[in-house]
Amino acid sequence: MNLENTQIQMRKGVLEFCILSIISRGEIYASDMLEELTRAKIVVVEGTLYPLLNRLRKAGLVDYKWVESAFGPPRKYYTLTNEGHKFLQALRQTWDELVASTQAIVNFQA
């Protein structure tokens, strides 16, 4: 079994939750999301982020607006929709339950 593959799959499993959590704090540019994820040691490349953002938009969970930039082309800023906020709240509940369950198993003392 390959440890690195398992670690990658674990990170991918929480990526959507992390992205929605970041966007929930307010309008954000994709490169700022990448920076925050990188600081948190969830390394994501643009080739992963942009398709995920597009899927979230098509699902009605996020929206974006174009904002003119003085330093180059317009930028796309993402926000959560009302549906996205509801979805994120459900994911948070699932996350809390998963963490509690996992800790109970990992910390079990026979």
Short mmCIF file of all heavy atoms in Angstrom, two decimals, residues 15-47:
data_model
loop_
_atom_site.label_atom_id
_atom_site.label_comp_id
_atom_site.label_asym_id
_atom_site.label_seq_id
_atom_site.Cartn_x
_atom_site.Cartn_y
_atom_site.Cartn_z
N LEU A 15 -11.18 18.67 0.59
CA LEU A 15 -10.90 19.87 -0.20
C LEU A 15 -12.15 20.71 -0.45
O LEU A 15 -12.14 21.92 -0.25
CB LEU A 15 -10.23 19.50 -1.52
CG LEU A 15 -9.85 20.67 -2.41
CD1 LEU A 15 -8.89 21.62 -1.68
CD2 LEU A 15 -9.21 20.16 -3.71
N GLU A 16 -13.24 20.09 -0.87
CA GLU A 16 -14.47 20.83 -1.15
C GLU A 16 -14.94 21.56 0.11
O GLU A 16 -15.34 22.73 0.05
CB GLU A 16 -15.54 19.87 -1.65
CG GLU A 16 -16.81 20.53 -2.10
CD GLU A 16 -17.76 19.53 -2.73
OE1 GLU A 16 -17.35 18.79 -3.64
OE2 GLU A 16 -18.93 19.50 -2.29
N PHE A 17 -14.90 20.87 1.24
CA PHE A 17 -15.29 21.47 2.52
C PHE A 17 -14.41 22.67 2.84
O PHE A 17 -14.90 23.74 3.23
CB PHE A 17 -15.21 20.40 3.61
CG PHE A 17 -15.51 20.89 5.00
CD1 PHE A 17 -16.64 21.63 5.27
CD2 PHE A 17 -14.67 20.55 6.04
CE1 PHE A 17 -16.92 22.06 6.57
CE2 PHE A 17 -14.93 20.97 7.34
CZ PHE A 17 -16.07 21.72 7.60
N CYS A 18 -13.10 22.54 2.65
CA CYS A 18 -12.17 23.64 2.91
C CYS A 18 -12.42 24.83 1.99
O CYS A 18 -12.45 25.98 2.43
CB CYS A 18 -10.73 23.17 2.78
SG CYS A 18 -10.22 22.03 4.07
N ILE A 19 -12.63 24.56 0.72
CA ILE A 19 -12.89 25.63 -0.25
C ILE A 19 -14.16 26.39 0.12
O ILE A 19 -14.18 27.62 0.15
CB ILE A 19 -13.03 25.05 -1.68
CG1 ILE A 19 -11.74 24.39 -2.13
CG2 ILE A 19 -13.49 26.12 -2.67
CD1 ILE A 19 -10.64 25.30 -2.54
N LEU A 20 -15.23 25.67 0.41
CA LEU A 20 -16.48 26.32 0.78
C LEU A 20 -16.31 27.12 2.08
O LEU A 20 -16.87 28.21 2.21
CB LEU A 20 -17.60 25.29 0.91
CG LEU A 20 -18.08 24.66 -0.40
CD1 LEU A 20 -19.02 23.49 -0.12
CD2 LEU A 20 -18.74 25.68 -1.30
N SER A 21 -15.55 26.59 3.01
CA SER A 21 -15.31 27.31 4.27
C SER A 21 -14.56 28.62 4.02
O SER A 21 -14.90 29.65 4.61
CB SER A 21 -14.51 26.43 5.24
OG SER A 21 -15.27 25.32 5.62
N ILE A 22 -13.57 28.59 3.17
CA ILE A 22 -12.81 29.80 2.84
C ILE A 22 -13.72 30.83 2.18
O ILE A 22 -13.74 32.00 2.56
CB ILE A 22 -11.61 29.46 1.93
CG1 ILE A 22 -10.56 28.67 2.72
CG2 ILE A 22 -11.00 30.74 1.35
CD1 ILE A 22 -9.47 28.05 1.85
N ILE A 23 -14.50 30.39 1.21
CA ILE A 23 -15.39 31.32 0.48
C ILE A 23 -16.46 31.88 1.40
O ILE A 23 -16.89 33.02 1.23
CB ILE A 23 -16.02 30.62 -0.75
CG1 ILE A 23 -14.93 30.20 -1.74
CG2 ILE A 23 -17.02 31.54 -1.44
CD1 ILE A 23 -15.45 29.32 -2.88
N SER A 24 -16.87 31.13 2.41
CA SER A 24 -17.95 31.58 3.30
C SER A 24 -17.58 32.84 4.07
O SER A 24 -18.47 33.55 4.55
CB SER A 24 -18.33 30.47 4.28
OG SER A 24 -17.36 30.31 5.29
N ARG A 25 -16.31 33.15 4.18
CA ARG A 25 -15.88 34.32 4.94
C ARG A 25 -16.01 35.61 4.15
O ARG A 25 -15.83 36.69 4.69
CB ARG A 25 -14.44 34.12 5.40
CG ARG A 25 -14.31 32.93 6.35
CD ARG A 25 -12.98 32.85 7.02
NE ARG A 25 -11.87 32.70 6.10
CZ ARG A 25 -11.17 31.58 5.92
NH1 ARG A 25 -11.49 30.50 6.60
NH2 ARG A 25 -10.17 31.54 5.08
N GLY A 26 -16.31 35.53 2.87
CA GLY A 26 -16.49 36.72 2.05
C GLY A 26 -15.88 36.54 0.67
O GLY A 26 -15.24 35.53 0.39
N GLU A 27 -16.09 37.53 -0.18
CA GLU A 27 -15.58 37.47 -1.56
C GLU A 27 -14.09 37.16 -1.55
O GLU A 27 -13.34 37.75 -0.78
CB GLU A 27 -15.78 38.80 -2.26
CG GLU A 27 -17.20 39.12 -2.59
CD GLU A 27 -17.33 40.42 -3.35
OE1 GLU A 27 -16.35 41.19 -3.46
OE2 GLU A 27 -18.43 40.67 -3.84
N ILE A 28 -13.71 36.25 -2.43
CA ILE A 28 -12.30 35.87 -2.47
C ILE A 28 -11.89 35.48 -3.88
O ILE A 28 -12.67 34.90 -4.64
CB ILE A 28 -12.00 34.74 -1.46
CG1 ILE A 28 -10.49 34.48 -1.37
CG2 ILE A 28 -12.79 33.48 -1.80
CD1 ILE A 28 -10.06 33.72 -0.15
N TYR A 29 -10.68 35.83 -4.20
CA TYR A 29 -10.06 35.55 -5.49
C TYR A 29 -9.41 34.17 -5.41
O TYR A 29 -8.88 33.77 -4.36
CB TYR A 29 -9.04 36.65 -5.76
CG TYR A 29 -8.33 36.60 -7.07
CD1 TYR A 29 -9.03 36.53 -8.27
CD2 TYR A 29 -6.95 36.65 -7.12
CE1 TYR A 29 -8.36 36.51 -9.48
CE2 TYR A 29 -6.27 36.63 -8.33
CZ TYR A 29 -6.99 36.56 -9.51
OH TYR A 29 -6.33 36.53 -10.71
N ALA A 30 -9.42 33.42 -6.50
CA ALA A 30 -8.92 32.05 -6.50
C ALA A 30 -7.47 31.94 -6.03
O ALA A 30 -7.14 31.01 -5.28
CB ALA A 30 -9.09 31.43 -7.88
N SER A 31 -6.61 32.85 -6.43
CA SER A 31 -5.21 32.73 -6.01
C SER A 31 -5.08 32.93 -4.50
O SER A 31 -4.20 32.35 -3.86
CB SER A 31 -4.32 33.72 -6.76
OG SER A 31 -4.63 35.04 -6.42
N ASP A 32 -5.98 33.71 -3.89
CA ASP A 32 -5.97 33.86 -2.43
C ASP A 32 -6.40 32.56 -1.75
O ASP A 32 -5.89 32.21 -0.69
CB ASP A 32 -6.87 35.02 -2.00
CG ASP A 32 -6.35 36.36 -2.49
OD1 ASP A 32 -5.13 36.50 -2.69
OD2 ASP A 32 -7.18 37.28 -2.68
N MET A 33 -7.32 31.85 -2.38
CA MET A 33 -7.71 30.53 -1.86
C MET A 33 -6.51 29.58 -1.90
O MET A 33 -6.24 28.87 -0.92
CB MET A 33 -8.83 29.92 -2.70
CG MET A 33 -10.16 30.54 -2.53
SD MET A 33 -11.37 29.63 -3.54
CE MET A 33 -12.12 31.00 -4.40
N LEU A 34 -5.80 29.58 -3.03
CA LEU A 34 -4.63 28.72 -3.16
C LEU A 34 -3.59 29.03 -2.10
O LEU A 34 -3.01 28.12 -1.51
CB LEU A 34 -4.02 28.87 -4.56
CG LEU A 34 -4.78 28.24 -5.71
CD1 LEU A 34 -4.19 28.66 -7.05
CD2 LEU A 34 -4.79 26.73 -5.57
N GLU A 35 -3.36 30.31 -1.84
CA GLU A 35 -2.39 30.71 -0.81
C GLU A 35 -2.81 30.19 0.56
O GLU A 35 -1.98 29.66 1.31
CB GLU A 35 -2.25 32.23 -0.77
CG GLU A 35 -1.44 32.81 -1.89
CD GLU A 35 -1.35 34.33 -1.81
OE1 GLU A 35 -1.49 34.89 -0.69
OE2 GLU A 35 -1.14 34.95 -2.86
N GLU A 36 -4.07 30.36 0.90
CA GLU A 36 -4.53 29.90 2.21
C GLU A 36 -4.43 28.39 2.34
O GLU A 36 -4.01 27.87 3.38
CB GLU A 36 -5.97 30.36 2.47
CG GLU A 36 -6.44 29.97 3.85
CD GLU A 36 -7.72 30.62 4.28
OE1 GLU A 36 -8.17 31.60 3.65
OE2 GLU A 36 -8.28 30.14 5.28
N LEU A 37 -4.82 27.69 1.30
CA LEU A 37 -4.71 26.23 1.32
C LEU A 37 -3.26 25.79 1.46
O LEU A 37 -2.95 24.86 2.22
CB LEU A 37 -5.33 25.63 0.05
CG LEU A 37 -6.85 25.75 -0.04
CD1 LEU A 37 -7.31 25.49 -1.46
CD2 LEU A 37 -7.53 24.81 0.94
N THR A 38 -2.36 26.45 0.76
CA THR A 38 -0.94 26.12 0.83
C THR A 38 -0.39 26.37 2.24
O THR A 38 0.35 25.56 2.78
CB THR A 38 -0.14 26.92 -0.21
OG1 THR A 38 -0.65 26.58 -1.51
CG2 THR A 38 1.34 26.61 -0.15
N ARG A 39 -0.77 27.52 2.84
CA ARG A 39 -0.34 27.81 4.22
C ARG A 39 -0.83 26.74 5.18
O ARG A 39 -0.17 26.42 6.17
CB ARG A 39 -0.85 29.18 4.67
CG ARG A 39 -0.03 30.34 4.17
CD ARG A 39 -0.36 31.64 4.89
NE ARG A 39 -1.78 31.93 4.98
CZ ARG A 39 -2.48 32.62 4.08
NH1 ARG A 39 -1.88 33.11 3.01
NH2 ARG A 39 -3.76 32.84 4.26
N ALA A 40 -1.99 26.19 4.91
CA ALA A 40 -2.57 25.14 5.76
C ALA A 40 -2.02 23.76 5.40
O ALA A 40 -2.49 22.76 5.94
CB ALA A 40 -4.09 25.16 5.65
N LYS A 41 -1.08 23.71 4.47
CA LYS A 41 -0.44 22.48 4.02
C LYS A 41 -1.40 21.55 3.28
O LYS A 41 -1.25 20.34 3.29
CB LYS A 41 0.24 21.77 5.18
CG LYS A 41 1.35 22.61 5.76
CD LYS A 41 2.15 21.89 6.77
CE LYS A 41 3.22 22.87 7.24
NZ LYS A 41 3.95 22.49 8.36
N ILE A 42 -2.40 22.16 2.65
CA ILE A 42 -3.27 21.43 1.72
C ILE A 42 -2.87 21.95 0.35
O ILE A 42 -3.39 22.96 -0.12
CB ILE A 42 -4.76 21.67 2.01
CG1 ILE A 42 -5.11 21.19 3.41
CG2 ILE A 42 -5.63 20.97 0.95
CD1 ILE A 42 -6.54 21.45 3.82
N VAL A 43 -1.90 21.28 -0.24
CA VAL A 43 -1.33 21.76 -1.48
C VAL A 43 -2.27 21.41 -2.64
O VAL A 43 -2.60 20.25 -2.86
CB VAL A 43 0.07 21.14 -1.72
CG1 VAL A 43 0.66 21.65 -3.02
CG2 VAL A 43 0.99 21.48 -0.55
N VAL A 44 -2.71 22.46 -3.32
CA VAL A 44 -3.64 22.33 -4.44
C VAL A 44 -3.08 23.15 -5.59
O VAL A 44 -2.56 24.25 -5.37
CB VAL A 44 -5.04 22.85 -4.05
CG1 VAL A 44 -5.99 22.78 -5.23
CG2 VAL A 44 -5.58 22.10 -2.87
N VAL A 45 -3.21 22.65 -6.79
CA VAL A 45 -2.76 23.39 -7.96
C VAL A 45 -3.98 23.97 -8.67
O VAL A 45 -5.11 23.54 -8.46
CB VAL A 45 -1.95 22.49 -8.93
CG1 VAL A 45 -0.66 22.03 -8.28
CG2 VAL A 45 -2.77 21.30 -9.39
N GLU A 46 -3.73 24.96 -9.52
CA GLU A 46 -4.82 25.61 -10.25
C GLU A 46 -5.64 24.61 -11.04
O GLU A 46 -6.85 24.74 -11.16
CB GLU A 46 -4.26 26.69 -11.18
CG GLU A 46 -3.76 27.91 -10.45
CD GLU A 46 -3.24 28.98 -11.39
OE1 GLU A 46 -3.51 28.91 -12.61
OE2 GLU A 46 -2.56 29.90 -10.90
N GLY A 47 -4.97 23.60 -11.58
CA GLY A 47 -5.65 22.59 -12.39
C GLY A 47 -6.64 21.76 -11.60
O GLY A 47 -7.48 21.07 -12.17
#
